[in-house]
Amino acid sequence: MTTIVPAELVATYEVRLRRSEAGEGPKTVGLSQFVACLRLGNATEMFSITIADTAWIGLLDANGVLIALTCVTKNSTAVHPEPIWRHRSDFIIRAALPEPGRFEQLWSRKVGDDTFEICCIPFFLYDLALGDVVQTSPHDGREYVLSRVLEQSGRYVFRAHFEPSMRRFRDDITAGLEELGALMEWSSPTLVAVDAHSPAHARQIAGFLRERSEQGQLMYETGHTA
């Protein structure tokens, strides 16, 4: 059981809801109600129970009453078909995602026995960026699973999502990001991860994405929780 601040989780779970509805994330039953309860702010604790290949995640109110329950199918791995630094990568590691049993596969460059430089732009992970040096350890029967970030590259990650009504803007927005010098990786036709190489560059990209979001052309999030 984990004590939570609902407002801190709303943005994250709203993104997961959009991805689930678009078929880009794991099949997540009951997520709409789960997000609605987070928005109302009446949840105080969250728990998860794993049964076979399904993880159940629940919310409790201050009286210990169950107010929302969602389930996620396990053993789903997000992959990077076109890693941005494929030319310098020589290894693939995994990182556990917040949903129990889910992983993201990360192209990397081996720099030590258990340390690697990230060579792709994370699609779903938070507080991890292109060029970060990470340490791995065995986890759940897998040998090389990310355990912590050892050295940050100073780069920043954004993610943009295009709902069906927004897809006509995709090419124009891609061109705009390219003009700003952003690196990009597409997880699907509707989800792109965007890399900024410095704080100043990140402010430029954030401003561009914010403007387009206000115009109803995309939805976006940052890859940092702090």
Side-chain angles (χ1 to χ4, degrees), residues 37 42 59 64 104 106 131 146 159 195 200:
C37 286
N42 54 1
L59 295 175
E104 182 167 350
L106 300 169
L146 187 150
R159 260 95 62 160
D195 167 80

CSV table of all heavy atoms in Angstrom, one decimal, residues 37 42 59 64 104 106 131 146 159 195 200:
chain,number,residue,atom,x,y,z
A,37,CYS,N,-11.1,9.4,-10.8
A,37,CYS,CA,-10.9,9.4,-9.3
A,37,CYS,C,-9.7,10.3,-9.0
A,37,CYS,O,-9.7,11.0,-8.0
A,37,CYS,CB,-10.8,8.0,-8.8
A,37,CYS,SG,-12.4,7.1,-8.7
A,42,ASN,N,-9.9,12.4,-4.5
A,42,ASN,CA,-10.4,11.8,-3.2
A,42,ASN,C,-9.7,10.4,-2.9
A,42,ASN,O,-10.2,9.7,-2.1
A,42,ASN,CB,-11.9,11.6,-3.3
A,42,ASN,CG,-12.4,10.8,-4.6
A,42,ASN,OD1,-11.5,10.4,-5.4
A,42,ASN,ND2,-13.6,10.7,-4.7
A,59,LEU,N,-7.3,2.1,-6.1
A,59,LEU,CA,-7.3,3.4,-5.3
A,59,LEU,C,-8.2,3.3,-4.1
A,59,LEU,O,-9.3,2.8,-4.3
A,59,LEU,CB,-7.7,4.6,-6.2
A,59,LEU,CG,-6.8,4.9,-7.3
A,59,LEU,CD1,-7.4,6.1,-8.1
A,59,LEU,CD2,-5.4,5.3,-6.9
A,64,GLY,N,-10.5,4.0,3.6
A,64,GLY,CA,-10.1,2.6,3.2
A,64,GLY,C,-11.0,1.9,2.2
A,64,GLY,O,-10.9,0.7,2.0
A,104,GLU,N,10.5,-1.4,-21.2
A,104,GLU,CA,10.9,-0.7,-22.4
A,104,GLU,C,12.3,-1.2,-22.8
A,104,GLU,O,13.2,-1.2,-21.9
A,104,GLU,CB,10.9,0.8,-22.2
A,104,GLU,CG,11.3,1.5,-23.5
A,104,GLU,CD,11.0,3.0,-23.4
A,104,GLU,OE1,10.3,3.5,-22.4
A,104,GLU,OE2,11.4,3.8,-24.3
A,106,LEU,N,15.8,-0.7,-24.5
A,106,LEU,CA,16.6,0.4,-24.7
A,106,LEU,C,17.9,0.1,-25.5
A,106,LEU,O,18.7,-0.7,-25.0
A,106,LEU,CB,17.0,1.1,-23.4
A,106,LEU,CG,15.8,1.6,-22.5
A,106,LEU,CD1,16.3,2.0,-21.2
A,106,LEU,CD2,15.1,2.8,-23.2
A,131,GLY,N,21.8,9.6,-24.1
A,131,GLY,CA,23.1,9.9,-23.6
A,131,GLY,C,23.4,9.7,-22.1
A,131,GLY,O,24.5,9.8,-21.7
A,146,LEU,N,17.8,-1.8,-16.2
A,146,LEU,CA,18.2,-0.5,-15.6
A,146,LEU,C,17.9,-0.5,-14.1
A,146,LEU,O,16.7,-0.7,-13.7
A,146,LEU,CB,17.5,0.6,-16.4
A,146,LEU,CG,17.9,2.0,-16.1
A,146,LEU,CD1,17.8,2.9,-17.3
A,146,LEU,CD2,17.1,2.6,-14.9
A,159,ARG,N,7.4,14.2,-25.1
A,159,ARG,CA,6.6,13.3,-25.9
A,159,ARG,C,5.3,14.0,-26.4
A,159,ARG,O,4.7,14.7,-25.7
A,159,ARG,CB,6.1,12.1,-25.1
A,159,ARG,CG,7.0,10.8,-25.3
A,159,ARG,CD,8.1,10.7,-24.3
A,159,ARG,NE,7.7,10.5,-22.9
A,159,ARG,CZ,8.4,10.0,-21.9
A,159,ARG,NH1,9.6,9.5,-22.2
A,159,ARG,NH2,8.0,10.0,-20.7
A,195,ASP,N,13.9,14.9,-28.5
A,195,ASP,CA,15.1,15.1,-27.7
A,195,ASP,C,15.6,16.6,-27.9
A,195,ASP,O,15.6,17.1,-29.0
A,195,ASP,CB,16.3,14.2,-28.2
A,195,ASP,CG,17.6,14.6,-27.6
A,195,ASP,OD1,17.9,14.3,-26.4
A,195,ASP,OD2,18.4,15.3,-28.3
A,200,ALA,N,18.5,25.4,-22.8
A,200,ALA,CA,18.0,26.4,-23.7
A,200,ALA,C,17.2,25.8,-24.8
A,200,ALA,O,16.2,26.3,-25.2
A,200,ALA,CB,19.2,27.3,-24.2
